[in-house]
Amino acid sequence: MSEQEKRVDQGGVDALYEESTHWHVNTGEETIHAKRMPGMWRNLKWLSSTVWIFFFLGPYLRWDDRQAILLDIPNEKFHILNITILPQDVWMLALVLLFFSILLAAVTSVAGRVYCGFFCFQTIWTDIYTLIEEKLEGGPAKRRKLEKAPWDLNKIRIKTIKHTLWLLIGALTGVTFAAWFTDAYDLWIGYFTFTAPTVAWTVLGLFTVGTYVLAGFMREQTCFWLCPYARIQGVMYDEETVLPTYDLNRGEPRGKLKKGQHVEGMGDCIECNQCVAVCPTGIDIREGQQEGCITCALCIDACDSVMDKINRPRGLIRYASYDEIQGKPTLPLRKRPRVLVYFTIMTLAVVGLVYGLTHLGAIELKVLHDRQPLFVQQSDGSIQNKYFIKLLNKTDADMKIRISATGPEQMVVVGADKTLVARKGRLNSYTLFVRVPSRLLESASTPIVFKVEQVDAEEITAEYTSMFMGPRR
């Protein structure tokens, strides 16, 4: 009996899944040259990577006379189309971060590291870098042969072209990242005329070198040793998580094909090792779920293509849960408490974000009552209160405003008879005095409503309710 058969007899499915001693983790002593094979998951992988086109094109979209999306950190403003978000609205950014962090957890608990396999910039950039490498140097065997070959003019030419393209992609990544924080067209002019600020050159250098090293050389080592998400993803899995999985019951015991025919009693796995050859991290999915698996599903394409050739049904490696492989019934999402909690938090974050965006407004008003003293009695017997008006102008233009107030009878607002200017993107402060005849005050505190409106556009208004303080009655 073979060692593999003994393992199956002694522990079955559980033994193979838990036998971590068979995990292979490349610690950097070898370069992974993954084979590229066509298939549904490879096509889906390329399709999902197109979401990063927006990263490169987004800074060049215009809205009126400025960049459509501009994260203007020096001036403490975020411009998104016609919406301007100031530091006072930073709580909405917290909701965005909360949504995407919980989304990662939710997707991982349902279908594993989908982000890592299909959307992560490290994965996609590495895929593009290795595609360039394959086009210039050939398939995995040719690349390994070229690595060992002595340096000659042909090798120098190929390596020079490859590394130049890698550096150009890294530089373009750096410029694009910087362009989200300043006007993209001005940034390009600054780079070409060598007048760009120091921070722009620093970003360009860091992203060029970082992309070149991480995607070109470290590759899967970044996922193993630098990415924190790779470390915490294991605790997000459960028996219901759907992952690329090798069907041990169907595939074992493994055996080579003899004259194109299966040996009686052997499983469907023919030890072709194509699932290992296409894996970007070099793991063997047949040894169970491992830290290096980024759930890119390329091993499924490889195995399906082999099953087609030997006239066996597809799905020896497929997206399946641990319970499904063991023949247990699977729970629908609506009956999985953890998933429901994740989606509830995501829903609340979206609701809060929508509320914030729809109630953003062009101006924001706050009124502070002077507490020392609460009121002053004038020589004519009237009571005077002092108020500090705080007006935040969220627009990109200075606006002329008018301040008014409603409250007790015969109330007089001192300082509200003139037009004031609210500077763009700033918190503007004004001081007003309100006087009311003492005989008309019925209590020690009376509501008073302040109103600010733009002179040229009366639909832009803001109100704030404060209190008018007087002597006790």
Side-chain angles (χ1 to χ4, degrees), residues 103-114 229 233 236-237 241 243:
L103 177 62
L104 278 176
V107 172
T108 302
S109 67
V110 173
R113 294 167 62 184
V114 173
Y229 185 56
Q233 54 87 24
M236 298 181 182
Y237 293 171
T241 304
L243 303 164

Side-chain angles (χ1 to χ4, degrees), residues 136-137 146 151-164:
L136 292 172
E137 299 181 0
L146 184 64
W151 286 92
D152 55 19
L153 290 178
N154 182 58
K155 184 174 181 178
I156 292 173
R157 177 185 63 83
I158 293 174
K159 294 291 185 180
T160 300
I161 295 173
K162 181 183 76 171
H163 289 282
T164 300

Side-chain angles (χ1 to χ4, degrees), residues 225-263:
W225 312 118
L226 298 183
C227 178
Y229 185 56
R231 295 292 181 179
I232 65 175
Q233 54 87 24
V235 300
M236 298 181 182
Y237 293 171
D238 56 30
E239 290 81 1
E240 297 291 335
T241 304
V242 178
L243 303 164
T245 306
Y246 171 65
D247 191 341
L248 286 160
N249 297 315
R250 177 183 155 187
E252 302 296 326
R254 308 171 199 170
K256 295 286 187 179
L257 279 178
K258 294 185 178 180
K259 297 182 179 180
Q261 298 295 324
H262 277 284
V263 177

Side-chain angles (χ1 to χ4, degrees), residues 302-412:
C303 188
D304 283 348
S305 68
V306 174
M307 293 298 105
D308 290 342
K309 292 176 182 178
I310 64 175
N311 297 318
R312 301 297 295 169
R314 292 186 169 197
L316 177 59
I317 300 176
R318 64 182 185 274
Y319 262 101
S321 67
Y322 183 70
D323 281 352
E324 179 186 340
I325 292 297
Q326 288 191 312
K328 298 179 181 179
T330 57
L331 293 175
L333 291 179
R334 66 178 183 275
K335 293 185 178 180
R336 297 173 62 183
R338 184 168 60 167
V339 175
L340 293 178
V341 171
Y342 287 149
F343 281 99
T344 299
I345 296 174
M346 289 166 55
T347 301
L348 293 176
V350 171
V351 170
L353 186 61
V354 171
Y355 174 83
L357 292 175
T358 54
H359 291 74
L360 205 55
I363 56 177
E364 184 177 305
L365 174 65
K366 287 187 178 180
V367 179
L368 304 178
H369 189 288
D370 188 7
R371 304 188 64 84
Q372 293 184 351
L374 285 176
F375 63 89
V376 174
Q377 187 165 9
Q378 303 292 299
S379 58
D380 59 359
S382 63
I383 303 299
Q384 176 177 283
N385 283 201
K386 183 179 181 181
Y387 297 90
F388 301 104
I389 311 297
K390 303 293 183 180
L391 180 65
L392 179 62
N393 179 2
K394 298 181 179 181
T395 68
D396 290 330
D398 294 344
M399 65 170 63
K400 296 180 179 180
I401 61 160
R402 186 186 300 114
I403 302 177
S404 59
T406 56
E409 294 183 34
Q410 299 184 27
M411 181 181 69
V412 176

